[in-house]
Amino acid sequence: MIVSKRNRLRLAAVATLSTLALGLAGTALAAGPTTADPAPTGPSVTAPSVTPQPATPQAAATQATITAKPSVTTVQAWELFRVTGTTTGLKAGTTVTLQQKQNGAWVTLPASVPTTSSGAYSLGVKLGITGLNELRIVSGDTASPVFTVTVR
């Protein structure tokens, strides 16, 4: 009798914890009282009813961001300048890449660097297309605001 009561309590605890874990994970769950052991001997133990709460969009609240600032606003063709900035919401060591707007489309340039443990980066850049160049720094789906550098 003691063993079966212990098993019923153990099963009820496992059912309760499983129900809570699924509810906290944001999984749709219709939970109602469940009987851990339908055996007629002794009192029955039921797991409490748990109403799942909607998952809070904390991931959206901590959305990744990238800042970018060129060291100059005007350069000669193929002159080296730097783009520096910081990232938030990205893992340390994440690669950030320079993109340039060409004919209305963003083109990824062969200029990238990993972020530091604090999320900072510094990227050396040389541009050859003369005129006003629209640029941005990207990592995955995250992009910095557009900045411009004029190449003479």
Side-chain angles (χ1 to χ4, degrees):
M1 183 73 149
I2 293 173
V3 174
S4 66
K5 281 185 182 179
R6 185 180 315 163
N7 283 341
R8 276 193 298 238
L9 290 175
R10 198 175 281 157
L11 288 173
V14 168
T16 301
L17 290 174
S18 297
T19 302
L20 287 173
L22 286 173
L24 290 175
T27 303
L29 176 68
T34 58
T35 304
D37 186 2
T41 59
S44 77
V45 178
T46 59
S49 176
V50 176
T51 304
Q53 299 297 319
T56 57
Q58 291 177 353
T62 58
Q63 195 163 0
T65 61
I66 302 174
T67 65
K69 180 176 168 95
S71 59
V72 295
T73 56
T74 303
V75 294
Q76 296 297 317
W78 305 112
E79 181 182 346
L80 179 67
F81 68 96
R82 299 203 82 64
V83 177
T84 57
T86 58
T87 63
T88 57
L90 298 176
K91 287 175 52 177
T94 299
T95 300
V96 294
T97 305
L98 180 68
Q99 286 188 336
Q100 180 182 46
K101 199 163 202 178
Q102 295 178 7
N103 299 320
W106 288 106
V107 176
T108 301
L109 300 179
S112 61
V113 67
T115 61
T116 65
S117 59
S118 64
Y121 68 90
S122 179
L123 179 65
V125 179
K126 291 182 180 183
L127 298 174
I129 299 176
T130 58
L132 187 67
N133 286 267
E134 292 182 276
L135 306 165
R136 68 181 184 178
I137 299 291
V138 298
S139 180
D141 293 336
T142 305
S144 73
V146 176
F147 58 96
T148 59
V149 173
T150 302
V151 178
R152 295 186 182 183

